[in-house]
Structures are given as structure tokens and as C-alpha cells.
């Protein structure tokens, strides 16, 4: 639903987020995995994350941690500071 308004990337796990510049994701229209470059804008961004009920929490957590890593944020340190 959101893809009509904003870029959307369907990924299986954190390993599909190759870098800030490249992401491997499943294209629903092409019915295949594709590489998209320049997917993550520079600077501050808002990201929405969704997952199905059958998606294990650790996969979601690992993926969120990967996104923070791309911006140089250590999640464990962030949690320790209570931020």
C-alpha cells in the first residue's frame, strides 16, 4: 500500500542490506530479487518497518540493528545509555 507514496523494500533479513548505497530486495511487480542503489537518503530519515506475524523477532531486531550500523550507531551503547 505504501509503495504508491514512498519507496518500499521487501527484504528477507539483514544480509540483504548491503550498504547505505545498495539493497537487495524482492520486487513484487517483477516477481524477482533486484538490486537498488542509492536507496537510503543521506541525513536524517524516518523509516517504517513492518513484518508478518510469522517473522521471528530476532530477524526484525537484527535488521533494525543493521540500519543503525549503517549510520554509525552502536545499538548496545545506545541501550546502555538509556537513550
Amino acid at each position: 500500500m505504501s509503495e504508491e507514496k514512498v519507496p518500499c523494500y521487501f527484504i528477507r533479513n539483514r544480509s540483504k542490506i548491503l550498504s547505505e548505497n545498495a539493497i537487495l530486495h524482492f520486487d513484487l511487480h517483477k516477481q524477482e530479487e533486484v538490486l537498488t542503489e542509492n536507496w537510503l537518503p543521506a541525513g536524517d530519515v524516518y523509516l517504517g518497518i513492518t513484518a508478518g506475524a510469522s517473522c521471528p523477532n530476532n530477524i526484525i531486531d537484527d535488521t533494525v540493528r543493521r540500519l543503525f550500523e549503517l549510520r554509525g550507531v552502536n545499538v548496545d551503547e545506545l541501550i546502555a545509555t538509556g537513550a
Side-chain angles (χ1 to χ4, degrees), residues 39-65:
W39 71 279
L40 186 61
D44 294 342
V45 296
Y46 289 94
L47 297 174
I49 298 172
T50 63
S54 63
C55 183
N57 288 340
N58 65 312
I59 291 178
I60 299 166
D61 184 60
D62 287 347
T63 302
V64 171
R65 285 173 176 270

Side-chain angles (χ1 to χ4, degrees), residues 2-76:
S2 298
E3 72 178 333
E4 294 175 9
K5 303 283 184 188
V6 296
C8 294
Y9 306 100
F10 178 67
I11 63 171
R12 184 172 303 278
N13 57 44
R14 75 175 275 138
S15 71
K16 301 298 182 177
I17 304 172
L18 306 178
S19 68
E20 284 185 279
N21 295 317
I23 189 169
L24 277 171
H25 62 98
F26 188 78
D27 185 308
L28 294 172
H29 303 288
K30 294 180 181 179
Q31 291 293 298
E32 64 182 342
E33 191 172 66
V34 297
L35 174 68
T36 296
E37 296 180 335
N38 302 315
W39 71 279
L40 186 61
D44 294 342
V45 296
Y46 289 94
L47 297 174
I49 298 172
T50 63
S54 63
C55 183
N57 288 340
N58 65 312
I59 291 178
I60 299 166
D61 184 60
D62 287 347
T63 302
V64 171
R65 285 173 176 270
R66 175 68 175 136
L67 293 166
F68 275 101
E69 288 171 7
L70 291 175
R71 297 301 182 153
V73 177
N74 181 308
V75 175
D76 294 325

